[in-house]
Amino acid sequence: MKKSTEKTLQDQWSSKWAFILAATGAAVGLGNVWRFPYMAGTHGGSAFVLVYLVCIILIGLPVMIAEILIGRRARQNPVSAMETLAKESGHTKKWGVVGWWGAAALLLVLSFYSVVSGWSIAYLLRSASGTFSGMNASQVSNFWQHFLSSPWQLLTWHTVFICLTIGVIVRGVQEGLEKATKFMMPALYAILFLLAAYAIIEGDFRQAFHFLFDFNLEQITPSVFIAAMGHACFTLAVGAGAMLTYGAYVPKRVNITTAVCVVATLDVLVAILSGLAIFPLVFAHHLTPNMGPGLMFVTLPIAFANIPGGTLIGSLFFILLLFAAWTSSINLAEPMVVILMNRLKLSRKKSAMLVGALAWFIGIGSLLSFNVWKQVKLFHKFTIFDVATNGPTDIMLPIGALAFALFAGWAMKKKFTRPELHRKVFPTWRFLIRYVAPIGVLVIFLTRAFL
Ligand code: PHE
């Protein structure tokens, strides 16, 4: 990033590729490797995958373009950006609420994200010390259950991860991250290819393939729609101003549409590869696809236990996953930090600490729901962790996405949005952002509410 001395957000990514890399870093994370497979597993496999892909194209992509366009035009934090652009088009400054809403959603996401990233740190250490080698499927499962039952372990790793995230944000070592991402991302792909290849050869590929890709209309229920739409927003990091914040650093000459398409493709690819690495093992070892958040943690170690060099491969996998989670969590915390800095005039250090402390505290509820508060059920059936993960992702992000779509499609004047996009794509984008995305979100919410 090039730095400038001015107070407004004048920093810029050094090139189109630097931006694509950072945005991919934000998009690719636990959502792809950990959440996508288990959500697909609990929501009928192919039904979920299909709706997720459709939501990515019809809602995720146009909203991502909208957020980046808003960020680049305003070059401010999400709240101020919405206020400035609303005023520019003759509307009320109240649109700034969308920025606050998004930042709050991201804070909640960060709270559970850190808990799960903590699991990855623990598993990294376990893999490196050879704990999994030679284990069979039921031993791996038992290990997982045992691990979850210890609140102190979970708390330790959750704390470590929050410190890692806030540490980077306080220092603002984005430059270093930009460089590291260049190596880590391709390495993550390579290792996922390897794991998928192992699973395809050794596992039950045929059943996994049918499970993930068979077209199956009856399975598509309103709750599948909600889950898939929420996950599409989550995985692309849209609906909360996270992309808007990165968009504020995008140079004028960058073609937003191409960048967004590259990011989304790379993102979906990681999810599909993860599915292919996990499900053949699930079926070959008679595990249940709908076992929920533990899915990745009880399947991949089986592969590490049996592959030659599994200790090394397992360790590498968890390092890369952790890194992917880290680049995402920085993007999760950054908008709230910038907003607090700009609006409450706090220092970067203070706002980062405040955001970290809040996310840490809220995250404790999530981690206790696996042990001490296991019996606590909200709305009669959900654990605190379920609510903390699905509430912000399935409800808050799509509402945010709807607000950004209405803002960019209806509130902003056409003369302000048009110059930001290539003239060939502008009409298509405008149609999607005015009609398809908002109606899509509304229809999905309404069907869920009334069916
Ligand atoms: N996209 C990230 C993931 O898939 C999560 C994320 C959501 C990051 C929202 C930033 C903003 O893991």
Side-chain angles (χ1 to χ4, degrees):
M1 244 197 230
K2 275 188 245 153
K3 289 256 187 261
S4 104
T5 49
E6 290 175 49
K7 234 189 158 149
T8 43
L9 301 176
Q10 294 293 315
D11 297 351
Q12 295 210 342
W13 304 109
S14 45
S15 68
K16 171 166 134 192
W17 284 103
F19 166 62
I20 290 183
L21 214 59
T24 312
V28 174
L30 295 175
N32 310 63
V33 185
W34 162 74
R35 194 169 192 267
F36 170 79
Y38 91 75
M39 290 300 278
T42 37
H43 290 93
S46 55
F48 179 88
V49 176
L50 181 70
V51 183
Y52 151 84
L53 289 174
V54 172
C55 288
I56 293 251
I57 295 170
L58 297 184
I59 300 172
L61 287 179
V63 174
M64 193 162 163
I65 294 178
E67 278 197 37
I68 296 172
L69 173 159
I70 293 169
R72 179 166 80 174
R73 187 164 180 81
R75 300 217 186 279
Q76 281 170 316
N77 71 69
V79 176
S80 312
M82 295 299 277
E83 290 179 352
T84 309
L85 297 193
K87 266 203 0 232
E88 176 187 64
S89 288
H91 296 285
T92 153
K93 271 173 65 175
K94 296 216 174 79
W95 277 102
V97 169
V98 180
W100 285 108
W101 170 266
L106 294 181
L107 181 70
L108 293 176
V109 169
L110 180 62
S111 76
F112 78 79
Y113 211 84
S114 164
V115 172
V116 180
S117 306
W119 301 345
S120 311
I121 304 182
Y123 266 58
L124 163 63
L125 301 178
R126 292 306 188 147
S127 294
S129 62
T131 305
F132 300 120
S133 70
M135 274 194 183
N136 61 29
S138 70
Q139 286 166 322
V140 171
S141 282
N142 288 341
F143 178 84
W144 168 246
Q145 295 303 341
H146 186 72
F147 172 67
L148 282 188
S149 66
S150 153
W152 288 110
Q153 268 204 71
L154 303 191
L155 184 65
T156 309
W157 300 121
H158 167 52
T159 312
V160 169
F161 189 80
I162 283 281
C163 292
L164 281 177
T165 303
I166 299 309
V168 170
I169 293 195
V170 167
R171 292 204 190 87
V173 291
Q174 277 194 342
E175 296 240 351
L177 269 179
E178 214 182 291
K179 284 197 193 99
T181 316
K182 261 184 213 156
F183 299 102
M184 297 291 218
M185 276 294 164
L188 181 66
Y189 282 97
I191 210 149
L192 279 174
F193 263 115
L194 190 78
L195 289 173
Y198 171 81
I200 289 170
I201 297 165
E202 293 292 323
D204 191 341
F205 176 61
R206 186 194 283 264
Q207 206 179 337
F209 193 84
H210 285 306
F211 180 73
L212 284 175
F213 303 114
D214 268 357
F215 184 69
N216 191 343
L217 206 60
E218 305 102 73
Q219 298 260 15
I220 305 184
T221 59
S223 56
V224 168
F225 267 107
I226 290 276
M229 170 171 73
H231 189 74
C233 293
F234 180 74
T235 191
L236 291 181
V238 303
M243 278 295 163
L244 188 158
T245 309
Y246 276 9
Y249 309 124
V250 175
K252 264 277 170 274
R253 58 180 193 285
V254 169
N255 180 331
I256 297 181
T257 322
T258 348
V260 162
C261 289
V262 175
V263 173
T265 310
L266 290 173
D267 188 63
V268 169
L269 199 66
V270 176
I272 301 287
L273 273 176
S274 305
L276 290 177
I278 287 176
F279 283 107
L281 296 177
V282 168
F283 292 113
H285 294 277
H286 308 291
L287 302 166
T288 40
N290 63 351
M291 63 175 294
L295 188 66
M296 185 196 94
F297 292 92
V298 301
T299 45
L300 293 184
I302 302 176
F304 305 142
N306 296 295
I307 300 179
T311 302
L312 181 68
I313 295 174
S315 316
L316 269 176
F317 169 80
F318 282 111
I319 289 184
L320 296 170
L321 179 65
L322 196 62
F323 189 78
W326 199 7
T327 51
S328 296
S329 71
I330 289 164
N331 188 235
L332 285 167
E334 180 76 7
M336 190 56 117
V337 171
V338 185
I339 291 176
L340 293 182
M341 275 165 63
N342 292 171
R343 310 289 298 207
L344 305 186
K345 305 277 176 266
L346 296 179
S347 68
R348 174 168 269 276
K349 191 168 173 190
K350 275 211 186 99
S351 11
M353 305 273 245
L354 185 63
V355 168
L358 278 172
W360 179 81
F361 183 71
I362 304 170
I364 293 178
S366 284
L367 68 85
L368 290 182
S369 73
F370 289 99
N371 34 68
V372 184
W373 288 345
K374 209 172 179 170
Q375 306 311 331
V376 179
K377 294 277 175 335
L378 307 173
F379 310 105
H380 303 300
K381 52 178 175 179
F382 302 113
T383 64
I384 298 177
F385 183 79
D386 292 335
V387 175
T389 48
N390 297 338
T393 23
D394 294 355
I395 300 171
M396 292 182 81
L397 295 185
I399 292 180
L402 173 65
F404 283 119
L406 294 177
F407 184 74
W410 297 91
M412 277 179 83
K413 293 213 169 98
K414 198 171 167 183
K415 67 173 184 211
F416 296 133
T417 46
R418 193 168 27 206
E420 301 289 332
L421 297 181
H422 193 284
R423 76 189 144 74
K424 285 216 182 101
V425 289
F426 182 74
T428 317
W429 170 77
R430 194 161 151 89
F431 178 72
L432 290 173
I433 205 76
R434 278 168 80 93
Y435 303 101
V436 180
I439 294 175
V441 176
L442 281 175
V443 166
I444 291 177
F445 274 133
L446 292 177
T447 10
R448 178 74 181 87
F450 294 110
L451 283 186

